[in-house]
């Protein structure tokens, strides 16, 4: 290994014939030494360019600098060791910190590409007199740098997706309440997007609630549902039929004009389903049905349910 | 396995205790229909609370029981279908159309009592399965 002197910004004039036989690992080591040597300067340059490019506007300059330092060190370490686990873990933690502050994917990709750019430029400056060596250094630098950029960006996106999944789950749980209006009458207000998974969950909750509350009539209100495809509509029909098997009558209310049109156009058979215009009408209809069953057995105390 | 058929007032109650083979189901059907005529009862309750699965044969047998009992002068109501079973059934397209189903035995008795009163009030025979 030739004795390198990376601190000089202008490369020495020596032609260095043994460099030709230097391994990629050797070049990478040289590169890492260079990056370590110029850590302060390159890091500052990077932070400056982040600010100038108006990336990470959600963060203060001090924060940008602190994160830039950490990313820089992890970056160099990943270059040196060729292992990406530490960087992956770091980018995950970083994403956890910055996603809630509204940092976007393009910003993260942008800063990593900027760093790549800053480092590449410093290499150009250092080896500008030795194009051959510059080429070989870039040969070992670029694949590693690309992989690092990839790792950080993927880490960020994965974290985002994880958060989105988590939130979807939370919304799902929040948005499917089964409410008892009065003895034997339940309302199921459905709000938001119906996907197959949510529809399934909704059905399970409803059927369980019918048994737990000994419901006779259920009003399913879909005023808050923007669109419905044939899968979900069929699922709704199935829910109504399953409820009937448990002895409960379903009334569907609040089908919007768009949904009504869609359902008729795609030919879902809703003839078996009782539908009423709005929730108020649905509850009135339900009260009527309940009053009809004038000889209902006296409602029992909770806890005396003989069914499983 | 034999399904016990109990008599309660004017009604017969068949309480299925465990999974049944097709032969058991056919046997239950024949026994019930025979007893409906013998004891001149007005209603039949089939309790399926203990069943975790309901295949197409079981569903068809239940439907047949309801229709046959109807021809012999008795209303049939199926009670105690589990929520999971109910949903599995509709997914398989086994919806027991035209057969009355209620939550449990108590509701079943109430349903038959109500049916009886309606029958006394009305001279016109009601369409089967009309639960209005």
């Amino acid at each position: 290994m030739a004795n390198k002197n990376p601190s000089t910004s202008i490369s020495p004039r020596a032609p260095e014939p043994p460099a030709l036989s230097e391994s990629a690992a050797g070049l990478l080591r040289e590169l890492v030494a260079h990056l370590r040597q110029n850590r302060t300067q390159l890091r500052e340059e990077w932070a400056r360019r982040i600010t100038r490019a108006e990336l990470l506007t959600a963060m203060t300059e001090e924060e940008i600098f602190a994160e830039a330092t950490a990313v820089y060190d992890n970056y160099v370490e990943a270059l040196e060791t060729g292992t990406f686990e530490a960087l992956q873990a770091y980018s995950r933690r970083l994403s956890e910190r910055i996603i809630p502050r509204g940092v976007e994917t393009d910003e993260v990709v942008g800063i990593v590409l900027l760093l790549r750019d800053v480092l590449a430029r410093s290499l150009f400056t250092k080896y500008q007199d030795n194009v051959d060596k510059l080429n070989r250094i870039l040969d070992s630098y670029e694949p590693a740098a690309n992989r690092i950029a990839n790792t950080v960006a993927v880490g960020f996106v994965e974290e985002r997706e994880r958060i989105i999944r988590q939130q979807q789950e939370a919304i799902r749980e929040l948005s499917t309440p089964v409410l008892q209006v009065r003895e034997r009458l339940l309302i199921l207000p459905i709000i938001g997007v119906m996907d197959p998974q949510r529809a399934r969950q909704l059905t399970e909750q409803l059927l369980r609630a019918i048994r737990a509350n000994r419901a006779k009539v259920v009003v399913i209100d879909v005023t808050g549902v923007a669109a419905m495809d044939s899968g979900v509509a069929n699922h709704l029909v199935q829910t109504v039929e399953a409820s009937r098997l448990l002895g409960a009558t379903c009334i569907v209310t609040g089908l919007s004009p768009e949904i009504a049109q869609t359902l008729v156009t795609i030919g879902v058979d809703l003839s078996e389903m009782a539908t009423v215009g709005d929730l108020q009408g649905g509850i009135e209809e339900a009260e009527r049905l309940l009053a009809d069953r004038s000889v209902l057995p006296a409602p029992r105390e909770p806890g005396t349910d003989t069914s499983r | 396995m034999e399904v016990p058929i109990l008599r309660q007032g004017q009604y017969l109650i068949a309480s299925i205790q465990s999974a049944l083979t097709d032969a058991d189901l056919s046997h239950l059907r024949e026994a019930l229909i025979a007893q409906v005529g013998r004891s001149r009862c007005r209603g039949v309750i089939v309790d399926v609370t203990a069943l975790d699965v309901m295949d197409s044969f079981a569903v068809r047998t239940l439907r047949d029981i309801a229709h046959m009992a109807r021809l012999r002068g008795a209303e049939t109501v199926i009670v105690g279908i589990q929520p999971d079973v109910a949903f599995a059934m509709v997914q398989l397209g086994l919806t027991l159309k035209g057969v009355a189903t209620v939550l449990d035995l108590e509701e079943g008795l109430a349903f038959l009592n109500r049916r009886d009163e309606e029958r006394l009030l009305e001279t016109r025979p009601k369409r089967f399965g009309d639960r209005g």
Side-chain angles (χ1 to χ4, degrees):
Chain A
M1 186 64 42
N3 187 19
K4 294 288 161 277
N5 186 4
S7 65
T8 48
S9 54
I10 309 296
S11 64
R13 197 111 284 267
E16 294 179 285
L20 282 170
S21 62
E22 268 178 281
S23 64
L27 286 171
L28 208 53
R29 220 168 309 151
E30 184 183 333
L31 172 73
V32 168
H34 168 69
L35 297 183
R36 286 248 158 83
Q37 201 91 34
N38 297 294
R39 176 169 177 263
T40 318
Q41 183 212 330
L42 290 173
R43 197 178 50 174
E44 275 167 7
E45 165 72 9
W46 184 35
R48 240 193 332 275
R49 291 200 45 190
I50 291 175
T51 321
R52 210 180 318 142
E54 293 184 357
L55 294 170
L56 301 182
T57 42
M59 297 163 78
T60 66
E61 250 171 71
E62 291 76 39
E63 282 174 317
I64 291 178
F65 191 72
E67 294 294 358
T69 306
V71 174
Y72 187 93
D73 291 342
N74 275 291
Y75 194 99
V76 174
E77 194 195 319
L79 271 181
E80 182 177 30
T81 58
T83 57
F84 295 84
E85 283 79 13
L87 186 72
Q88 257 166 1
Y90 174 76
S91 65
R92 211 166 26 239
R93 285 197 305 279
L94 174 71
S95 308
E96 267 172 36
R97 278 200 301 277
I98 62 179
I99 288 171
R101 312 188 49 171
V103 174
E104 296 295 332
T105 317
D106 61 331
E107 292 185 286
V108 170
V109 175
I111 63 166
V112 180
L113 291 181
L114 267 184
L115 177 59
R116 187 178 179 279
D117 197 35
V118 167
L119 299 188
R121 262 165 208 252
S122 90
L123 294 177
F124 285 138
T125 315
K126 180 168 157 67
Y127 298 108
Q128 60 185 343
D129 296 330
N130 189 345
V131 175
D132 180 47
K133 175 135 190 196
L134 175 64
N135 270 333
R136 278 180 292 118
I137 285 268
L138 287 179
D139 277 347
S140 55
Y141 167 70
E142 278 182 340
N146 287 346
R147 226 186 122 188
I148 290 172
N150 218 346
T151 306
V152 173
V154 167
F156 184 83
V157 171
E158 274 175 358
E159 177 64 18
R160 259 174 91 108
E161 282 172 356
R162 196 184 63 76
I163 289 176
I164 291 171
R165 271 197 304 274
Q166 212 174 22
Q167 287 173 343
Q168 273 179 341
E169 202 58 39
I171 290 170
R172 253 185 216 127
E173 277 169 23
L174 281 177
S175 60
T176 49
V178 183
L179 309 168
Q180 179 158 354
V181 184
R182 47 168 270 193
E183 210 66 62
R184 339 218 85 194
L185 170 55
L186 296 178
I187 325 187
L188 176 69
I190 306 176
I191 292 166
V193 181
M194 287 275 280
D195 53 27
Q197 195 196 343
R198 187 169 167 219
R200 164 109 224 194
Q201 194 189 5
L202 215 113
T203 306
E204 279 171 18
Q205 280 189 2
L206 176 64
L207 295 183
R208 244 174 256 137
I210 287 174
R211 199 178 53 178
N213 298 303
R214 306 177 58 75
K216 270 292 176 207
V217 183
V218 179
V219 180
I220 302 177
D221 182 60
V222 294
T223 312
V225 178
M228 204 180 273
D229 61 11
S230 62
V232 172
N234 278 323
H235 196 96
L236 194 62
V237 175
Q238 288 180 342
T239 304
V240 171
E241 282 172 351
S243 303
R244 189 188 78 83
L245 290 177
L246 296 187
T249 310
C250 284
I251 301 171
V252 178
T253 66
L255 283 165
S256 69
E258 291 81 21
I259 294 182
Q261 266 182 19
T262 321
L263 294 185
V264 172
T265 312
I266 60 184
V268 177
D269 182 17
L270 299 180
S271 55
E272 296 289 312
M273 231 157 65
T275 50
V276 178
D278 57 8
L279 182 58
Q280 185 187 347
I283 292 179
E284 282 163 10
E285 171 76 9
E287 301 265 359
R288 213 175 51 70
L289 281 179
L290 285 171
D292 258 5
R293 302 162 191 266
S294 45
V295 280
L296 285 176
R300 289 191 297 182
E301 294 301 311
T304 56
D305 200 342
T306 50
S307 60
R308 265 197 307 177
Chain B
M1 187 193 142
E2 193 90 2
V3 176
I5 299 174
L6 313 172
R7 182 158 185 176
Q8 154 74 38
Q10 288 203 301
Y11 310 134
L12 292 179
I13 302 175
S15 179
I16 299 176
Q17 302 295 338
S18 62
L20 296 181
T21 64
D22 289 0
D24 292 336
L25 280 162
S26 305
H27 184 75
L28 170 66
R29 184 188 61 210
E30 280 148 28
L32 264 178
I33 301 311
Q35 277 212 32
V36 166
R38 219 172 20 242
S39 52
R40 305 191 66 240
C41 66
R42 313 292 301 273
V44 174
I45 297 178
V46 183
D47 183 1
V48 297
T49 308
L51 290 187
D52 292 329
V53 282
M54 194 96 83
D55 61 12
S56 58
F57 188 82
V59 172
R60 204 174 71 223
T61 307
L62 289 178
R63 202 194 54 206
D64 290 352
I65 288 174
H67 290 179
M68 291 173 182
R70 172 79 184 156
L71 294 176
R72 314 249 304 153
E75 283 292 331
T76 300
V77 57
I78 312 294
V79 308
I81 298 176
Q82 300 295 319
D84 296 345
V85 177
F87 196 64
M89 281 168 65
V90 294
Q91 281 191 317
L92 295 172
L94 310 169
T95 53
L96 275 175
K97 271 214 178 77
V99 180
T101 52
V102 296
L103 192 67
D104 55 19
L105 191 58
E106 183 180 336
E107 295 279 343
L109 286 167
F111 172 84
L112 290 178
N113 282 329
R114 200 158 58 237
R115 260 301 145 87
D116 257 7
E117 288 181 13
E118 282 170 7
R119 201 144 48 167
L120 291 178
L121 290 174
E122 292 177 25
T123 46
R124 173 179 64 90
K126 274 201 121 178
R127 186 167 62 84
F128 178 74
D130 183 351
R131 303 167 57 221

